[in-house]
Amino acid sequence: MNNAWLRRFSKLTCFSTLFLIFAGSLVTSTGSGLAVPDWPLSYGMVFPPMVGGVFYEHGHRMIASLVGFFTLIQAFWIQFSDNRTWVKALGWLALLAVICQGVLGGLTVLFLLPTPISVSHAVLSQTFFVLTIIIAYALSTERAIREAIPKSNSANISPLTRTVLLLGVLIYVQLIIGALMRHTDSGLAIPDFPTVANQIIPAFNNDSLVTINKWRFNANLEPVNMAQVLVHFIHRMMGYLIGVVAFVLLFVKLRMPVKVPQSNFPTYGIFVLILIQILLGAFTIWSGKNFIITSIHVVNGATLLGLSCFLTLRLLPLSISKSSTHLH
């Protein structure tokens, strides 16, 4: 109970990071990445007029600064109040990650949104989010309770754990592909759903590309190339694969001979959120990339990654994870 406030603060940092991801997605979805052309100041000011795209870009910077400040406090708080070396290391690693994230954000602006830096910035944000979840779980009462329970000699990884590990890896890869899709302007490279250029089985030939670019011309959009179409298509296929693995996860969960109550909420939550994610992806296309729908699609994907990480921590044997059972 001595670290109750630290536990609460770690959760605040975690949820603040999720909100930061939403704010960052709004910047990309509204095309506001260069609404403020300088860094670290904004038009040479600490607080410029919050108009137009400046509202999204500078607002994102303000939230990022707050999350960075939270991470700094958290690192020092853990250093002086927790005896576990690995938890202290996680605190400092998170601080290093958020500093790198800030630098990448600045370079993204200064170098006029280069794709490699922009994608790295997006991927690191998701990685940092996972770090905040691991830290919050490491500090939780649930983990402390599990540590206090005599350990079993068995450290076998159950089928449920293997499935959720696979799902987490696939979601992380999908978020990388999604970042590549957003920052290469491939979000509407296939403008119809569930078909591809009006075809059930896509041909990926010149005729398909002509059909797509006719639609884009009528929508006053720049033409795309086949590479952009393929990036978008891979993102879709990964979404379907993740949906299948989510069904497998639910099936494994329901068929387990030994019930694992602590897996109930995360498992069902993952399944529901994946269904919502597929619908959000469809509405993103049908709405012509409405910035609110697109941003919710991004943050829902991050939530899925977070839930899969949380469930993994709950299910992994303590001898492997040093963490993991009633975080309420």
Side-chain angles (χ1 to χ4, degrees), residues 172-238:
Y172 187 77
V173 172
Q174 174 73 324
L175 291 173
I176 295 174
I177 299 170
L180 182 63
M181 186 177 70
R182 289 196 310 278
H183 294 290
T184 56
D185 197 24
S186 304
L188 289 177
I190 300 175
D192 50 327
F193 181 88
T195 54
V196 177
N198 298 322
Q199 297 174 318
I200 300 296
I201 301 176
F204 297 116
N205 54 23
N206 189 61
D207 290 340
S208 297
L209 192 60
V210 168
T211 300
I212 289 169
N213 281 325
K214 279 184 178 178
W215 181 93
R216 290 181 64 87
F217 178 81
N218 292 331
N220 199 29
L221 297 171
E222 294 292 325
V224 294
N225 55 45
M226 189 58 73
Q228 290 170 288
V229 173
L230 287 173
V231 168
H232 185 117
F233 183 73
I234 292 170
H235 185 68
R236 284 196 191 185
M237 293 301 101
M238 278 292 292

Side-chain angles (χ1 to χ4, degrees), residues 23 26-28 30-37 42-43 48-61:
L26 281 172
V27 173
T28 304
T30 57
S32 304
L34 293 178
V36 179
S42 300
Y43 290 100
M50 302 290 278
V51 294
V54 178
F55 172 80
Y56 298 106
E57 170 62 11
H58 187 72
H60 174 60
R61 293 186 186 187

Side-chain angles (χ1 to χ4, degrees), residues 151-185:
K151 297 176 179 60
S152 167
N153 292 328
S154 174
N156 293 329
I157 299 179
S158 69
L160 183 64
T161 307
R162 293 192 191 97
T163 308
V164 76
L165 276 169
L166 172 62
L167 184 64
V169 170
L170 290 175
I171 291 172
Y172 187 77
V173 172
Q174 174 73 324
L175 291 173
I176 295 174
I177 299 170
L180 182 63
M181 186 177 70
R182 289 196 310 278
H183 294 290
T184 56
D185 197 24

Side-chain angles (χ1 to χ4, degrees), residues 160 249-250 253-254 256 258-272 307 310-311 314-315 325-326 328:
L160 183 64
L249 177 68
L250 187 63
K253 159 72 180 170
L254 295 175
M256 286 186 68
V258 178
K259 302 304 178 185
V260 186
Q262 67 268 27
S263 69
N264 289 347
F265 166 73
T267 301
Y268 300 140
I270 286 170
F271 184 76
V272 171
L307 264 182
F310 176 52
L311 180 56
R314 281 190 154 185
L315 294 176
T325 142
H326 280 276
H328 297 301

Side-chain angles (χ1 to χ4, degrees), residues 40-300:
L41 296 176
S42 300
Y43 290 100
M45 295 177 281
V46 175
F47 198 89
M50 302 290 278
V51 294
V54 178
F55 172 80
Y56 298 106
E57 170 62 11
H58 187 72
H60 174 60
R61 293 186 186 187
M62 292 173 62
I63 298 168
S65 299
L66 182 63
V67 171
F69 183 60
F70 284 171
T71 309
L72 176 67
I73 293 174
Q74 179 179 260
F76 277 98
W77 199 339
I78 292 173
Q79 179 66 34
F80 292 107
S81 65
D82 199 295
N83 295 325
R84 295 164 296 175
T85 303
W86 63 277
V87 179
K88 293 179 181 180
L90 283 175
W92 295 115
L93 181 61
L95 180 60
L96 176 63
V98 81
I99 291 171
C100 291
Q101 182 71 346
V103 172
L104 282 174
L107 293 176
T108 298
V109 172
L110 297 178
F111 288 97
L112 307 179
L113 308 179
T115 298
I117 297 178
S118 297
V119 171
S120 299
H121 183 63
V123 173
L124 184 55
S125 69
Q126 305 285 350
T127 307
F128 173 70
F129 179 50
V130 169
L131 270 175
T132 64
I133 292 172
I134 296 172
I135 290 171
Y137 193 83
L139 297 170
S140 68
T141 52
E142 175 178 323
R143 189 219 58 81
I145 291 170
R146 289 193 64 187
E147 285 279 318
I149 297 173
K151 297 176 179 60
S152 167
N153 292 328
S154 174
N156 293 329
I157 299 179
S158 69
L160 183 64
T161 307
R162 293 192 191 97
T163 308
V164 76
L165 276 169
L166 172 62
L167 184 64
V169 170
L170 290 175
I171 291 172
Y172 187 77
V173 172
Q174 174 73 324
L175 291 173
I176 295 174
I177 299 170
L180 182 63
M181 186 177 70
R182 289 196 310 278
H183 294 290
T184 56
D185 197 24
S186 304
L188 289 177
I190 300 175
D192 50 327
F193 181 88
T195 54
V196 177
N198 298 322
Q199 297 174 318
I200 300 296
I201 301 176
F204 297 116
N205 54 23
N206 189 61
D207 290 340
S208 297
L209 192 60
V210 168
T211 300
I212 289 169
N213 281 325
K214 279 184 178 178
W215 181 93
R216 290 181 64 87
F217 178 81
N218 292 331
N220 199 29
L221 297 171
E222 294 292 325
V224 294
N225 55 45
M226 189 58 73
Q228 290 170 288
V229 173
L230 287 173
V231 168
H232 185 117
F233 183 73
I234 292 170
H235 185 68
R236 284 196 191 185
M237 293 301 101
M238 278 292 292
Y240 296 143
L241 176 60
I242 288 170
V244 170
V245 176
F247 270 104
V248 173
L249 177 68
L250 187 63
F251 178 78
V252 172
K253 159 72 180 170
L254 295 175
R255 292 295 300 270
M256 286 186 68
V258 178
K259 302 304 178 185
V260 186
Q262 67 268 27
S263 69
N264 289 347
F265 166 73
T267 301
Y268 300 140
I270 286 170
F271 184 76
V272 171
L273 287 181
I274 283 178
L275 294 179
I276 292 173
Q277 186 72 344
I278 293 173
L279 285 174
L280 285 170
F283 277 105
T284 296
I285 294 167
W286 294 335
S287 67
K289 280 183 64 181
N290 174 277
F291 75 98
I292 293 294
I293 296 174
T294 304
S295 299
I296 295 174
H297 183 61
V298 172
V299 79
N300 193 66

